[in-house]
Amino acid sequence: MNSTKIKEGASGAVVRMLFYAMGYTKEEIDRPIIGIVNSQNEIVPGHMHLDRIATAAKAGVLSAGGTPVEFPTIGICDGIAMGHEGMKYPLASRELICDSIEAMAKAHQFDGLVLIPNCDKSVPGMLMAAARLNIPSVVISGGAMRAGRIGGRALDLNDVMEGIGSFKGGTITEGQLAELEISACPGCGSCSGLYTANSMNCLTEALGMGLPFNGTALSDSAERVRLAKTAGVRVMDLINKDIKPRDILTLDAFENAITVDMGMAGSTNTVLHLPAIAHEAGIGLPLELFDEISRRTPYIAKLSPSGIHHIEDLHEAGGIPALMKELSSRGLIHTDLPTVSGKTVGGIILAAKVTDRDVIREADKPYRDIGGLAILKGNIAPDGAVVKESAVADEMLVHSGPAVVFDSEDDAVAAIWDKRIRKGDVIVIRYEGPKGGPGMREMLGPTASIAGMGLDKDVALLTDGRFSGASRGASIGHISPEAMSDGPIGLIESGDTIDIDIPARALNVRLTDEEFAARRERRVKVEPRVKTGYLSRYARLVTSANTGAVLE
């Protein structure tokens, strides 16, 4: 795929005519045409400033002899979409983002792409498109937001979400909640903790598809603008050397990304997105690989929501290069891999240095000897489930309790706020998976409410839906198969005893095979919640969470 075949010779006259109509000169038309994919909009704080990033990226392309051509794609704010029917759309939008880039790139035969995402689904959606199209591409994200402050205390969106629970529980006032909401997010950028957006921006760097510090340079910094200019220059070099995404997105590169993910306890959503990106590159990433890597990777960077540090702290401590260098000291990083920077992974981390050991610990002095995420299996989740083990209180790593079952997130939140959940309970929220939701809604509302009401050390939550990167506590998601696909989670009844053993990677309900069979016989088929429009089509095509919720 390249622009030469559509714009040269007599047959290219119409194409040249249309470029002339837009004001391009002959010299510009003759150069490689670089698509600048900009997800800027005015509804997502992480995307509101991306025109500035696009302008810098275009300057880089121009300086290196290319012609930048900008076009848009969508981006949804998970925070605004959360807690209502709008949360059915963010995960499903990942496929729309990928498909729309494919349509634009194929239709116009771009020679290369500079991809400008920032928030939760735009990052994996663009990486999926790069892998699918396999033309020279560089990702330059919009960068992280600074942490908010009240009296020297660092804040982020999770403080507000848990503040709602605290207000409902009567431990803070309405005025205190108002102070939190106006202070927690001080400006543009992807929310300041290690939530899904920043996890994926960091893993883009670890994969080799983003420049060094793509994951941590702040959104409002001059450094971010310089990175964008460099991204524009680098895509031209990739074209000249014919280096394509699938040359970079190898199995070893995905193993690096998973290792970094485990070393810093990124969002559980990465276990959806990395397999989906790998799928587009023709690579399988089974859940077992995540757990295998987790078991050998020390947890050395504890960022919000698991800890007190934020992305700005990780950046000042040396960023992802320093984190990877520390992990490589244990032989955990493949160092001989190419990256879009023109250097190998080893070449990048050679110059890296950890400057703050409070933020990035030594590999032999970790917070924990194993990684931040865990994959559980058992008779509730034969195909697997995911938990951010690093964000679980020690008291809840092993827990048994009675199930309290809900067939929607909304019913569960109402029960939590009505104080109908007791210490020791195991909340089960089902029919919220990729098919059942549809769209696999994030459960930050219930998890933040549980934490805000002081129950995160006493109550577990299981779901075939997913959790926000901001969630903490014994929150076990991605349960597969989901209830809508006749998974065992759909057979659990309130009062059943649930056994959770995270260190042993086990998730079970105390039911015999005979009891399961009897319940399966009397199970009533659940009708789809959405029967028209995009979500209806999505629900018919989407696969299980354990395969990345890709479309068949």
Side-chain angles (χ1 to χ4, degrees):
M1 188 170 88
N2 64 73
S3 63
T4 302
K5 60 186 177 185
I6 67 166
K7 68 186 181 184
E8 292 189 352
S11 62
V14 171
V15 172
R16 295 193 297 273
M17 170 195 73
L18 294 170
F19 270 91
Y20 285 136
M22 292 182 282
Y24 290 96
T25 66
K26 181 179 184 304
E27 290 75 18
E28 289 175 307
I29 297 169
D30 288 342
R31 296 171 187 159
I33 307 297
I34 309 302
I36 308 294
V37 189
N38 187 1
S39 57
Q40 190 276 338
N41 60 47
E42 296 181 348
I43 194 65
V44 188
H47 291 214
M48 60 185 287
H49 65 299
L50 294 187
D51 279 351
R52 182 177 181 230
I53 305 301
T55 297
K58 288 190 283 188
V61 169
L62 284 167
S63 71
T67 297
V69 177
E70 184 177 343
F71 66 91
T73 189
I74 64 170
I76 291 176
C77 180
D78 284 41
I80 296 174
M82 194 168 295
H84 55 90
E85 66 176 355
M87 185 39 79
K88 298 178 185 292
Y89 284 89
L91 181 60
S93 76
R94 185 187 71 180
E95 320 310 310
L96 290 174
I97 292 164
C98 178
D99 291 350
S100 68
I101 295 169
E102 176 195 355
M104 288 294 287
K106 287 279 192 181
H108 303 110
Q109 293 291 296
F110 292 114
D111 297 289
L113 296 172
V114 176
L115 301 146
I116 307 173
N118 209 30
C119 289
D120 293 24
K121 310 311 171 297
S122 62
V123 183
M126 290 194 186
L127 283 165
M128 289 165 66
R132 181 186 297 178
L133 290 163
N134 202 33
I135 60 174
S137 302
V138 179
V139 177
I140 171 62
S141 304
M145 183 186 294
R146 295 181 187 275
R149 300 277 171 182
I150 292 180
R153 173 192 165 203
L155 302 172
D156 54 45
L157 76 90
N158 207 38
D159 291 281
V160 178
M161 292 299 300
E162 293 187 7
I164 295 170
S166 298
F167 173 68
K168 295 279 186 181
T171 58
I172 68 170
T173 66
E174 186 174 359
Q176 288 172 311
L177 179 60
E179 186 179 19
L180 283 173
E181 70 188 54
I182 203 168
S183 305
C185 290
C188 67
S190 48
C191 294
S192 58
L194 190 61
Y195 309 138
T196 303
N198 287 326
S199 295
M200 289 307 303
N201 284 332
C202 289
L203 297 190
T204 298
E205 188 179 331
L207 282 168
M209 289 297 295
L211 296 168
F213 305 108
N214 173 75
T216 59
L218 295 181
S219 58
D220 58 359
S221 65
E223 182 179 7
R224 177 61 58 177
V225 175
R226 292 194 298 271
L227 278 176
K229 290 178 180 177
T230 304
V233 173
R234 291 302 313 152
V235 76
M236 294 303 298
D237 188 60
L238 295 176
I239 290 170
N240 292 335
K241 294 178 179 175
D242 195 31
I243 298 173
K244 298 173 182 175
R246 291 187 198 175
D247 299 322
I248 294 169
L249 294 172
T250 62
L251 178 58
D252 283 351
F254 282 101
E255 289 188 354
N256 277 355
I258 296 170
T259 300
V260 169
D261 197 16
M262 297 306 168
M264 64 181 186
S267 165
T268 53
N269 283 315
T270 59
V271 184
L272 280 175
H273 298 321
L274 288 175
I277 298 161
H279 175 76
E280 296 292 347
I283 296 169
L285 284 188
L287 286 184
E288 291 77 10
L289 180 61
F290 285 82
D291 204 58
E292 175 189 326
I293 292 174
S294 180
R295 287 180 181 277
R296 67 178 185 239
T297 304
Y299 174 36
I300 59 174
K302 192 173 187 180
L303 279 66
S304 177
S306 301
I308 62 172
H309 298 122
H310 292 81
I311 294 296
E312 61 199 68
D313 302 309
L314 178 60
H315 186 62
E316 291 173 7
I320 296 302
L323 182 67
M324 293 181 76
K325 185 171 187 174
E326 191 61 40
L327 292 169
S328 74
S329 71
R330 295 273 291 266
L332 298 172
I333 296 294
H334 301 287
T335 58
D336 58 345
L337 306 182
T339 74
V340 296
S341 72
K343 297 179 180 179
T344 64
V345 170
I348 291 170
I349 67 176
L350 185 64
K353 183 179 179 181
V354 178
T355 59
D356 189 339
R357 285 297 182 184
D358 286 338
V359 179
I360 302 175
R361 288 192 173 185
E362 294 176 13
D364 59 357
K365 298 177 182 178
Y367 289 101
R368 297 167 66 250
D369 290 329
I370 58 174
L373 305 183
I375 306 301
L376 312 184
K377 288 194 174 183
N379 65 4
I380 296 175
D383 293 337
V386 182
V387 63
K388 183 182 281 192
E389 185 176 359
S390 63
V392 179
D394 289 343
E395 299 92 320
M396 292 298 293
L397 290 170
V398 178
H399 177 77
S400 294
V404 185
V405 180
F406 303 94
D407 287 344
S408 74
E409 175 191 5
D410 311 86
D411 291 344
V413 170
I416 296 166
W417 287 354
D418 289 345
K419 301 181 180 178
R420 287 185 272 135
I421 303 301
R422 300 177 180 179
K423 289 185 177 182
D425 285 347
V426 179
I427 300 169
V428 178
I429 304 176
R430 61 194 182 190
Y431 295 103
E432 291 287 6
K435 287 183 181 292
M440 206 179 182
R441 289 197 287 180
E442 286 187 341
M443 303 287 170
L444 183 55
T447 58
S449 297
I450 289 168
M453 296 178 79
L455 294 172
D456 56 303
K457 294 182 180 180
D458 302 288
V459 172
L461 195 158
L462 315 183
T463 182
D464 54 7
R466 62 195 176 95
F467 295 108
S468 166
S471 294
R472 63 185 177 93
S475 304
I476 300 169
H478 304 200
I479 290 176
S480 302
E482 62 175 290
M484 199 66 179
S485 296
D486 297 326
I489 189 175
L491 302 175
I492 298 172
E493 297 177 0
S494 290
D496 289 344
T497 300
I498 306 287
D499 294 319
I500 300 166
D501 190 336
I502 295 173
R505 305 300 196 249
L507 179 63
N508 292 287
V509 58
R510 293 182 193 174
L511 293 176
T512 65
D513 291 344
E514 290 76 18
E515 288 170 318
F516 267 125
R519 291 184 185 185
R520 194 168 278 112
E521 281 293 320
R522 64 176 184 262
R523 183 185 223 167
V524 177
K525 183 176 175 60
V526 175
E527 288 295 311
R529 286 181 172 142
V530 179
K531 297 183 179 180
T532 60
Y534 173 61
L535 282 180
S536 176
R537 298 196 301 276
Y538 177 84
R540 291 195 297 271
L541 297 173
V542 71
T543 63
S544 172
N546 68 297
T547 61
V550 298
L551 299 188
E552 291 180 329

